[in-house]
Amino acid sequence: MADRDPEPAFPRLRPASLRVNVADLLRSALLQRRFEPGEELADSALAKEFGVSRGPIREALIILAEEGVIEHLHYRGFRVPRLTANDILQINEARLPLEAQALRLARPRTTPKDISALHKLKDALLKAYTDSPEGRHMTAQPDYEFHSYVWQLSGNPWLVAGLKRICLGRFLCVSAKELGFAPQDFAAIEALHQQYIDYLSGELDISAEECVARHLQSYQESKRESA
Amino acid sequence: MADRDPEPAFPRLRPASLRVNVADLLRSALLQRRFEPGEELADSALAKEFGVSRGPIREALIILAEEGVIEHLHYRGFRVPRLTANDILQINEARLPLEAQALRLARPRTTPKDISALHKLKDALLKAYTDSPEGRHMTAQPDYEFHSYVWQLSGNPWLVAGLKRICLGRFLCVSAKELGFAPQDFAAIEALHQQYIDYLSGELDISAEECVARHLQSYQESKRESA
DNA sequence: AAATTGTATTTTGTAAACAAAAAATGTTTT
DNA sequence: AAAACATTTTTTGTTTACAAAATACAATTT
């Protein structure tokens, strides 16, 4: 993770409140598409499932709503949003310049250790792609983890927070065939992520913008086909 | 606000929960520097002040923490963060490419009505600057409102959310003399904001990046002086 | 003075209730 | 049958009081 601190010694074990635990579990479940778009998340039902009271559940749902992962309507509760093709275009519009900046800042901070970590994350993504059941490619979580690692390499927590705010909701829908955003084939995914690694290792000599644009364009194109 | 919808007819009156009301009031109070950096926000005390129970107060504080406006430590409560000079540099690093994108997208969508609205917001900012008591320029709120308007002109809600997540915390400290981020004089503020208006109206022919860079640089320089 | 212990104090989570709004249901009217 | 209306039922939002956990602080011991 490119930590410049004088050795981590032990991985920081952070004290977490119930709401953070619940939010983490729900976010992970959403990335795994254990909830469908449009599905409602009733606090009383979740309270029973998690075995805690409604308070922390509500707080967790508010966290996720602020992250843009779920939406909330007054007196109508929380639900998984339905993102349209246009939503994705707008998300990419915001993501492009910010992820490019992340790449620029990350490049001089990237160590060989980071490169091998990224290779592992890429392999995990490809494995998830091939292991997924027919058609519906469950790549949201590993894809998010790959990009999240790159973002954090920038060493800029505000940049990370901004990208998370912009993109997290999109990662929930990436594997959705109904939106037509699954990249066409294995080789394309492989190449598009390898490109990021090559840029960071200094081997690829294109602009950061170009690098991200290519990555996002592939999704854009598969969208146009399905339209 | 550059709404392309077929006439707003009536301004949308939204039903708001207590937590949203409280969050709005607290955010506004923070922008007005009614709380000092480092100050603690105890939910029980706020519950008494607002005359509501702890539940909604706590939810409001969680919203603000997710927005990056206040910070939270487990079993230690909520507090106003102390931003360092380096924090501001990193915030600007993330803000630059994203606000530039907002300007690019906003330009073709800007109407004469928007231009006059921006002039009014600029004047309000300048008035707040001159009306402020000796030295501590209370420009955070009007400054935020000016930029927020520009962001929304982009017509991209994710872009707005990302910029808000990145910048909101910084606007709380802008008027802080102790950080040395107050622009040198009236004329400089005037010019830097007029520059935005000129870019959007199409009169100024420089890149959006250049436009934002100049704006942010002035703060950077005043910081270096005080260091 | 440093480390330990014990005692407030604060934060966090629980539980049971109630109020308010929306959704669902059934009834009447046209 | 369709529309309008009134009435339940459910869900969400809020309040209250209390218990549990962690921290902060003072007192004690070494």
Side-chain angles (χ1 to χ4, degrees):
Chain A
M1 204 73 78
D3 26 29
R4 268 70 189 147
D5 312 277
E7 279 304 300
F10 287 101
R12 168 182 301 277
L13 52 141
R14 48 171 190 178
S17 52
L18 271 187
R19 70 163 172 277
V20 174
N21 275 299
V22 171
D24 287 345
L25 288 169
L26 282 176
R27 194 184 305 105
S28 178
L30 285 160
L31 277 170
Q32 291 166 48
R33 289 215 137 235
R34 308 240 317 266
F35 299 97
E36 291 303 311
E39 189 170 343
E40 292 180 5
L41 299 171
D43 56 10
S44 50
L46 289 170
K48 265 184 214 161
E49 283 196 62
F50 279 101
V52 298
S53 64
R54 279 174 66 208
I57 296 284
R58 287 176 60 81
E59 294 180 351
L61 291 172
I62 288 167
I63 288 175
L64 295 177
E66 283 299 311
E67 288 178 354
V69 175
I70 59 176
E71 59 186 12
H72 178 255
L73 293 111
H74 196 44
Y75 275 111
R76 226 164 292 178
F78 299 85
R79 62 181 52 173
V80 184
R82 297 178 194 277
L83 294 189
T84 67
N86 187 50
D87 289 334
I88 310 285
L89 283 173
Q90 289 196 307
I91 289 169
N92 287 347
E93 218 168 49
R95 181 182 174 183
L96 174 58
L98 204 54
E99 187 150 314
Q101 177 77 316
L103 278 175
R104 269 191 298 272
L105 295 171
R107 178 128 92 153
R109 295 171 51 91
T110 304
T111 65
K113 214 173 146 189
D114 293 320
I115 295 295
S116 75
L118 284 168
H119 266 119
K120 268 185 206 139
L121 288 169
K122 190 194 69 176
D123 291 343
L125 165 61
L126 294 171
K127 182 165 160 36
Y129 182 87
T130 49
D131 289 1
S132 289
E134 178 58 32
R136 53 190 317 257
H137 308 297
M138 311 280 284
T139 56
Q141 184 144 35
D143 196 22
Y144 174 68
E145 275 161 19
F146 179 92
H147 287 282
S148 181
Y149 193 99
V150 174
W151 299 345
Q152 297 197 304
L153 271 176
S154 74
N156 185 328
W158 284 271
L159 190 44
V160 175
L163 276 162
K164 201 176 156 193
R165 180 64 189 79
I166 290 167
C167 301
L168 199 50
R170 205 229 59 168
F171 277 101
L172 301 182
C173 299
V174 140
S175 60
K177 236 177 78 180
E178 69 274 15
L179 282 173
F181 286 109
Q184 297 81 344
D185 57 22
F186 188 91
I189 299 183
E190 210 285 328
L192 286 168
H193 287 84
Q194 184 60 45
Q195 185 191 227
Y196 268 51
I197 299 178
D198 290 340
Y199 176 88
L200 290 170
S201 67
E203 287 168 39
L204 186 64
D205 220 24
I206 59 171
S207 76
E209 249 91 14
E210 179 67 23
C211 193
V212 180
R214 283 187 200 169
H215 194 94
L216 299 182
Q217 211 172 339
S218 76
Y219 292 96
Q220 229 103 310
E221 273 161 19
S222 63
K223 190 224 67 187
R224 232 162 263 150
E225 283 170 26
S226 71
Chain B
M1 204 72 81
D3 25 29
R4 265 69 189 149
D5 312 279
E7 277 304 300
F10 287 101
R12 167 184 301 277
L13 53 142
R14 50 173 186 180
S17 52
L18 277 184
R19 70 160 171 281
V20 174
N21 276 298
V22 172
D24 287 346
L25 288 168
L26 282 176
R27 194 184 306 104
S28 176
L30 285 159
L31 277 170
Q32 291 167 45
R33 289 216 137 234
R34 310 239 317 264
F35 299 96
E36 290 303 311
E39 189 170 344
E40 292 179 5
L41 300 171
D43 56 10
S44 49
L46 289 171
K48 265 185 215 158
E49 284 195 60
F50 279 99
V52 297
S53 67
R54 277 178 48 222
I57 295 286
R58 181 161 249 311
E59 293 179 350
L61 291 171
I62 289 167
I63 287 174
L64 294 177
E66 284 299 313
E67 288 178 353
V69 174
I70 59 176
E71 61 185 10
H72 178 254
L73 293 112
H74 197 42
Y75 276 111
R76 228 165 295 176
F78 298 85
R79 64 180 53 172
V80 184
R82 296 177 195 278
L83 294 190
T84 67
N86 187 52
D87 288 334
I88 311 285
L89 283 173
Q90 289 197 307
I91 289 169
N92 285 348
E93 219 168 47
R95 180 181 175 184
L96 174 58
L98 205 53
E99 186 149 316
Q101 177 76 316
L103 277 175
R104 269 191 298 271
L105 295 171
R107 177 128 90 152
R109 295 170 50 92
T110 304
T111 66
K113 212 172 147 191
D114 294 319
I115 295 295
S116 75
L118 284 168
H119 266 119
K120 267 184 206 140
L121 288 169
K122 190 195 70 175
D123 291 342
L125 165 60
L126 294 171
K127 179 163 161 42
Y129 182 88
T130 49
D131 288 1
S132 289
E134 178 59 33
R136 50 189 321 255
H137 307 297
M138 311 281 282
T139 57
Q141 184 143 34
D143 197 21
Y144 174 69
E145 274 160 20
F146 179 91
H147 288 281
S148 181
Y149 193 100
V150 173
W151 299 346
Q152 297 197 304
L153 271 176
S154 73
N156 185 327
W158 284 271
L159 190 44
V160 174
L163 277 163
K164 202 176 155 193
R165 180 63 188 80
I166 289 168
C167 301
L168 199 50
R170 205 228 60 165
F171 278 100
L172 301 182
C173 296
V174 140
S175 60
K177 235 177 78 183
E178 69 273 17
L179 282 172
F181 286 107
Q184 297 81 340
D185 56 22
F186 188 90
I189 299 183
E190 209 285 327
L192 287 168
H193 287 85
Q194 185 59 46
Q195 184 193 229
Y196 268 49
I197 299 177
D198 289 342
Y199 176 89
L200 290 171
S201 67
E203 288 168 39
L204 185 64
D205 221 22
I206 59 171
S207 76
E209 250 91 14
E210 179 68 23
C211 192
V212 180
R214 282 188 199 168
H215 195 93
L216 298 182
Q217 211 171 339
S218 76
Y219 292 96
Q220 229 103 307
E221 273 161 19
S222 63
K223 190 223 69 189
R224 231 162 262 146
E225 284 170 26
S226 71

